Amino acid sequence: MAQREKERQTQISRDASKKAKVLPGYYYLTNFQTMLQGVARRYGDLLDEVELGFIDSFSALTHDAQCLLVRLISRKGPWFCLAQLSYDEMQDIQGAISTLCDHKLICYEQPDISWLLQKSTKTELGRAIAEVSSALVSGESVEVSYLDPAAVKWLKKRELIEYAQGAGLLSRILSHLVPEDYWFNLSPKVVYRRFELLYFERMSQSLSQFILADLGIHNFEAYSTSIASRSFNTRAEIEGLYRLSALYEEFEEGDLGGKPSDIDIKKFDSFCQRLTELPNFTKDAVNQKLARLTQGLWLMAARQLERLGQFEQALALYANTERTPSRERRARCLNKLGRDDEALGLVELMLESPIEESERLVARRLQKSLHRSLGLEAPELWQGEFNTFKLECQRTGADKNREDGVSNAERVELCAARHLSAVEGEQLRLCIEVENRLFCSLFGLAFWDIIFADVGGAFANPYQSRPSDMYQSEFYPRRKIPIEERLAALASGDTQMIMEHFHQKRGITNDWVHWSLFEEPSLDLLDLGITNRQDKDEIPLLLQLALMAFSGAFLARLFRQMLFDLRYYRAGFPDLIRFHLASESLSTDDGIPNSANNRVTAELIEVKGPGDALRDNQIIWLDWFNRNGVKARVCYLSWLD
């Protein structure tokens, strides 16, 4: 499944790149200025002297100096030199460097020797070593053997470094690799990362997001990013964001989340100490965004403590939050400590009032294990109710290994769809590979206006495919009234908003809607003479059939199930949808089935190839569809050869 999704995303990127715009010469400078202006507009009353000073200093720079600074920010440093810089759009790079130095935005500084050796080319390193060793030999040093420059070309860079280390030359070559006033880095006054955090209000987004929009790869909804909806309203909250961001970066870049055997215990203990010194952002829900970030750090650190076998310390950190998977991990720590009675009590609480569906599922497994440990009767294992069938298929040319390395096992879904599509008597069986994309798209279209509604802290910048709380427990409560109204409308049979949003929003980025599903020629691949509709003014055949096969009342029940845990329930849907409609609906000149006035029904099929097994979320959806009147089965496919 992951490979198929990767294939789709790669194709989407290729298609987008074909349509991509040509970036203007100074796009990066314009984007950086947009970010600064956006932060000044949204948070200007909360910025400190350093941040305001950076805005002023940047504004006072020459055009070339502004361009160079933004280019340096986007490069991997932390040290730079003139020889590395070549930008055709800049008239005077040396002058730009001097200007940045005059404004104290860069500082000349010698790089760390280890970094310098890593970044230097073999040619540069060989020349420096040869010059140093030659000078020492001519100075009658008996400690160093002369390295013939002609021999350098036969040595690898690693071997040159080993030679320099063995000869004691590392400190001496520094002066050759780092002439005075040659290397420089950004000064502490360049606080661009603060502006990224305040502009995007998300640690996962950066200046690169602008480029995706500039290229036309992403087209975003025009939602509100008003000052009233900002996430931080005091300077203390902003400082808290900076501290939390620094801790996240330290955890990720300092290898604190790696294998226990690779962790520097002193560094990790220092990290945990700073965690305990953080303000209690979770108290009285002072700031939900800061609270969630803090809880995320607690969970990350506690998980490492657990891996290190420090279960009591891990329990203490897990106890700071109820956010999943805190209760699960606490139960496991209690089990490791031999406190199974306490662990079982916590597991039963999880079963009684699960925070998310994933918590309920893991609690079932833990309950069985703990019952066994305590000598109690094991609870019956829930496996869902659904039917299975077998399908034997002959490999075809389309199923054989392709040049990109995709294997047969990863294309069993398309093979099954082809075999399960046919005209049988008076019925057309049309089977299409949709996986999670169809029902997620229907959800996104049904709730589009609610998803992008102006809710405090939901949108910080123009480049979001979803609100910041989309997959948090607060999403539904904060929008309960409009969501319930929409569910009621669907339950009454009104699905018009789905088609309206499809027409109005087509092509706009939404985390839920997979536009390519309705555009890709999936029907052509089934060899039934059916063509997918490409007219932008028409509802695509797949969407027409889906809205005929599934009533508004059914969709209301489906979406309510999804709303309990949007992150979990957006996955696990069956691979295929098989529509059943009268074969007379094929009698059209353009080869497009006419589903008007014909009753359409559908069944769902999960395809499993040899060696593949069902996952928990797939079992849940198979069972749910069957209990709600839609046949859902598992097809176990095997190859004839």
Side-chain angles (χ1 to χ4, degrees), residues 24-33 36 54 57-75 80 85-97 99-100 105-106 184 186 190 207:
Y26 299 104
Y27 71 93
Y28 57 92
L29 177 60
T30 301
N31 292 339
F32 193 79
Q33 291 169 330
L36 294 185
F54 177 72
S57 296
F58 187 82
S59 300
L61 296 174
T62 63
H63 187 265
D64 274 358
Q66 288 183 339
C67 290
L68 181 59
L69 182 60
V70 178
R71 287 292 199 184
L72 293 176
I73 285 171
S74 64
R75 292 179 64 140
F80 313 94
L85 307 178
S86 177
Y87 300 107
D88 293 338
E89 74 273 17
M90 298 179 204
Q91 301 298 318
D92 182 7
I93 294 181
Q94 178 63 70
I97 293 174
T99 301
L100 293 177
L105 295 175
I106 63 172
F184 58 87
L186 298 176
V190 183
L207 283 167

Side-chain angles (χ1 to χ4, degrees), residues 226-496:
S226 63
I227 297 177
S229 64
R230 67 187 185 184
S231 297
F232 311 105
N233 292 295
T234 67
R235 184 64 201 182
E237 290 178 346
I238 289 179
E239 293 292 345
L241 173 66
Y242 297 160
R243 290 180 66 179
L244 290 169
S245 174
L247 286 170
Y248 270 98
E249 289 181 10
E250 179 183 347
F251 190 88
E252 294 170 1
E253 297 176 7
D255 296 325
L256 299 182
K259 297 179 180 179
S261 58
D262 298 334
I263 295 175
D264 184 326
I265 299 300
K266 289 185 178 180
K267 186 186 296 185
F268 184 71
D269 288 342
S270 175
F271 175 84
C272 291
Q273 178 60 37
R274 288 195 300 283
L275 264 187
T276 62
E277 295 169 355
L278 282 172
N280 190 359
F281 295 116
T282 62
K283 184 179 181 181
D284 300 324
V286 175
N287 184 294
Q288 290 184 345
K289 186 160 291 189
L290 295 180
R292 289 193 66 83
L293 288 173
T294 304
Q295 291 166 358
L297 283 170
W298 285 338
L299 290 173
M300 290 160 54
R303 187 70 183 97
Q304 285 299 76
L305 286 170
E306 186 181 347
R307 292 190 178 107
L308 291 167
Q310 300 180 29
F311 302 115
E312 291 288 359
Q313 295 91 324
L315 275 173
L317 276 185
Y318 282 134
N320 287 328
T321 176
E322 290 294 300
R323 178 178 163 187
T324 57
S326 172
R327 294 197 292 186
E328 171 203 345
R329 303 315 314 176
R330 284 159 57 192
R332 293 187 184 278
C333 286
L334 289 169
N335 174 246
K336 293 289 187 180
L337 291 168
R339 294 153 61 180
D340 288 348
D341 286 330
E342 294 179 62
L344 182 58
L346 186 56
V347 166
E348 290 174 344
L349 181 61
M350 292 163 61
L351 288 169
E352 181 181 344
S353 304
I355 297 173
E356 297 175 356
E357 182 59 36
S358 55
E359 189 178 55
R360 189 203 320 263
L361 293 171
V362 74
R364 286 173 177 162
R365 291 193 291 271
L366 286 173
Q367 183 188 42
K368 180 179 180 180
S369 174
L370 290 169
H371 271 238
R372 187 185 306 112
S373 297
L374 292 168
L376 302 175
E377 183 178 352
E380 184 177 351
L381 180 64
W382 181 85
Q383 296 180 321
E385 295 185 9
F386 51 87
N387 294 325
T388 66
F389 69 98
K390 295 181 179 180
L391 181 65
E392 292 184 329
C393 294
Q394 184 71 44
R395 298 179 194 269
T396 66
D399 297 319
K400 292 180 180 178
N401 288 349
R402 304 204 307 260
E403 292 181 359
D404 58 8
V406 178
S407 65
N408 294 312
E410 291 162 342
R411 301 310 305 149
V412 294
E413 297 79 12
L414 184 57
C415 181
R418 188 182 302 114
H419 281 77
L420 294 172
S421 294
V423 177
E424 300 175 355
E426 299 298 320
Q427 289 286 321
L428 166 66
R429 316 291 189 194
L430 181 58
C431 194
I432 306 172
E433 183 184 4
V434 294
E435 204 179 290
N436 303 312
R437 297 176 294 164
L438 177 59
F439 291 111
C440 284
S441 294
L442 292 176
F443 178 91
L445 291 170
F447 293 99
W448 189 293
D449 53 329
I450 299 173
I451 290 172
F452 291 102
D454 186 8
V455 176
F459 297 101
N461 62 81
Y463 306 107
Q464 292 182 220
S465 60
R466 55 178 169 83
S468 59
D469 62 348
M470 183 84 248
Y471 302 114
Q472 299 173 11
S473 58
E474 297 86 4
F475 176 81
Y476 169 77
R478 299 180 73 191
R479 301 162 181 83
K480 181 176 180 179
I481 293 176
I483 287 176
E484 288 299 329
E485 290 175 349
R486 185 60 45 83
L487 290 172
L490 287 166
S492 69
D494 181 7
T495 59
Q496 186 63 29

Side-chain angles (χ1 to χ4, degrees), residues 30-42:
T30 301
N31 292 339
F32 193 79
Q33 291 169 330
T34 298
M35 181 180 72
L36 294 185
Q37 293 163 6
V39 172
R41 175 183 62 84
R42 193 170 167 89

Side-chain angles (χ1 to χ4, degrees), residues 443 512 558-566 569 573 621:
F443 178 91
W512 288 88
L558 175 74
F559 297 155
R560 187 176 293 282
Q561 176 77 4
M562 294 171 68
L563 282 162
F564 175 65
D565 187 345
L566 289 173
Y569 280 129
F573 289 102
W621 276 125

